[in-house]
Amino acid sequence: MAAAVIAPVTGEPRLVDPGRPHVGLEDQALTRGDGVFETMHVLDGRAYKFAAHHARLCTSAGIAGLPAPSAQTCRAALAMALDAAGPGSRDTALDLGAEHSVKLSISRGEPGGEPWAWLTVSPVPEQAFAARRDGVSVLLLDRGHDPAEDAELPWLLPGVKTLSYAVNMAAVRHARAHGAQDAVFTTSTDRRILEGATSSVVCARTRDDAAPTLLTPEPSRGILPGTSQARIFDTARRHGWGVDHGPLYPEDLLTADAVWLTSSVRLAVPVTAVDGHEIPTDPVLTRTLTDFLVGSPRG
Amino acid sequence: MAAAVIAPVTGEPRLVDPGRPHVGLEDQALTRGDGVFETMHVLDGRAYKFAAHHARLCTSAGIAGLPAPSAQTCRAALAMALDAAGPGSRDTALDLGAEHSVKLSISRGEPGGEPWAWLTVSPVPEQAFAARRDGVSVLLLDRGHDPAEDAELPWLLPGVKTLSYAVNMAAVRHARAHGAQDAVFTTSTDRRILEGATSSVVCARTRDDAAPTLLTPEPSRGILPGTSQARIFDTARRHGWGVDHGPLYPEDLLTADAVWLTSSVRLAVPVTAVDGHEIPTDPVLTRTLTDFLVGSPRG
């Protein structure tokens, strides 16, 4: 981590020493995963999809019964941290510029205390550059149930990006322990594709004589609405591409012309294999999707 | 919090100032709820069900791919913290002695760093004493799915007491916002009783001419095996009571002679109402179940 800012619910954000401890042992983000977060991409000092991330943070916080810092406070904290963060890291393959990964989190705080927020800025890790460049093999993992069943049950925090991510992390570890590099969740009943452990799933159908069509699972059915997937689809639509939401099954990934895991920092990561079956990648389309993500810095 | 001890994976536990921050902003317990924990009850300096808690901590850690401190290290840390913790709090109704609540947690640590453990000792909160004394009304909340479906899927961390407790906390908040004091999860399909948000569910059938029978949902079916429920059942069985596991439905709670939420610190909390329907309590049985829990200090 290169820089960190702490923002109390009331009061000004303040730069803190990223190398020092800042959290007490009873903080409920620590003891209960009780908080929400967003991860953003910063390129040459500019935050991408800031408005979409701040909106989703506010939605998450609202459902979880937490206050959220204003966009103004978040932008001030981000500027403060970026000033202190140093040069960022550079993807030698894509050469987009100096890149930072930014995490913005809200904790419920200590019992009886006040919620608080923090923002950290780190150089994008080499592992993310490697994933963009070389792609990842994925394992399809049963989510145990269809999260669409949770959608009307607010106490299950459907669609909330909480700090309670232990299962997402366990899924990635399981995939890595079984020869793959990332995990994609499916429903148990009909093996419908849901989402990556920390990403959205997008696939493409291409034809020589027409614009490509992009497909992704329905974001309303209990999965996290992906800000990168949404940005790619909005831009693709403006370019006259076909974009569609709908049920996707393992065979749709195996027969697609290309599949990606999309997320804010890793951008569009090509999927090279599904459950050990190699699938084609499309470097030109991958570059286009990446440009869709980093072509329009603000908003 | 009255006292705290931090234990690195290698090295000795050390007493730390409970009023100071000890956790960095990138610790994965904080940023991902990526860790496991246990809550224990200490009465007059003696830890109850220590072996059962340590065993469950090790099981949780094992499934989550984390190392766990040895029982010896945990006991040393506990003794160190209790020495520093001060007198504890006293339940004026039960008058059991000086009580402490102890939390033992393991974090995966910072990315690229080492897992670590911590232990905190706090006086039992007045809210717990009030729950024992006055009971709680509960709301039945749909868990969205049957956790039995997760039981064979290790990447979903079934039966692991992870730090990712945001949904459990949201369920309690939802119950409180809707006129009840605690939440009990049910399956969505057949409304089978699962467990409390932070407790097990136990109910009793009594007859004038025979020993009572205690019932609880099957612990193997994806719910957390409760150490308090197990201790109550073991002791009840030795006293010649009937004990049984099996499917319980809302009508079983409504027609039971008494229902409790059992957990380590709150002990046996009488349920006074289910979804707004008052149910009977049995103060004599409540006292007996409490004695089952605190009658045998060690092991």
Side-chain angles (χ1 to χ4, degrees), chain A residues 1 21-23 26 29 32-34 64 103 108 122 142-145 149 155-156 163-166 173-174, chain B residues 1 21-23 26 29 32-34 64 103 108 122 142-145 149 155-156 163-167 173-174:
Chain A
M1 177 172 37
H22 296 287
V23 184
E26 288 199 308
R32 295 288 180 271
D34 199 351
K103 280 195 169 44
R108 199 171 302 277
S122 309
D142 185 344
R143 190 65 186 82
H145 71 294
E149 296 166 16
W155 53 87
L156 301 181
L163 296 172
S164 285
Y165 247 46
R173 284 196 305 276
H174 182 89
Chain B
M1 178 172 36
H22 297 287
V23 184
E26 287 199 309
R32 295 287 181 271
D34 199 352
K103 280 196 167 49
R108 199 171 302 278
S122 310
D142 185 343
R143 191 66 186 83
H145 71 295
E149 296 166 15
W155 53 87
L156 300 181
L163 295 172
S164 285
Y165 248 47
V167 163
R173 283 196 305 276
H174 182 88

Side-chain angles (χ1 to χ4, degrees), chain A residues 150 153 155-156, chain B residues 141-145 147 167 185-188 194:
Chain A
D150 305 351
L153 309 174
W155 53 87
L156 301 181
Chain B
L141 295 182
D142 185 343
R143 191 66 186 83
H145 71 295
V167 163
F185 286 123
T186 68
T187 59
S188 42
L194 293 166

Side-chain angles (χ1 to χ4, degrees), chain B residues 100-163:
Chain B
H100 288 98
S101 169
V102 174
K103 280 196 167 49
L104 180 53
S105 310
I106 307 171
S107 165
R108 199 171 302 278
E110 304 217 342
E114 290 294 326
W116 61 287
W118 74 99
L119 181 147
T120 58
V121 173
S122 310
V124 172
E126 174 53 37
Q127 199 177 25
F129 297 150
R132 291 179 193 166
R133 186 178 64 233
D134 305 327
V136 294
S137 58
V138 303
L139 219 56
L140 302 181
L141 295 182
D142 185 343
R143 191 66 186 83
H145 71 295
D146 185 345
E149 296 166 15
D150 305 351
E152 303 301 317
L153 309 174
W155 53 87
L156 300 181
L157 305 175
V160 174
K161 200 169 166 75
T162 72
L163 295 172

Side-chain angles (χ1 to χ4, degrees), chain A residues 207-219:
Chain A
R207 291 193 325 203
D208 285 345
D209 59 344
T213 294
L214 299 179
L215 295 155
T216 195
E218 287 177 277

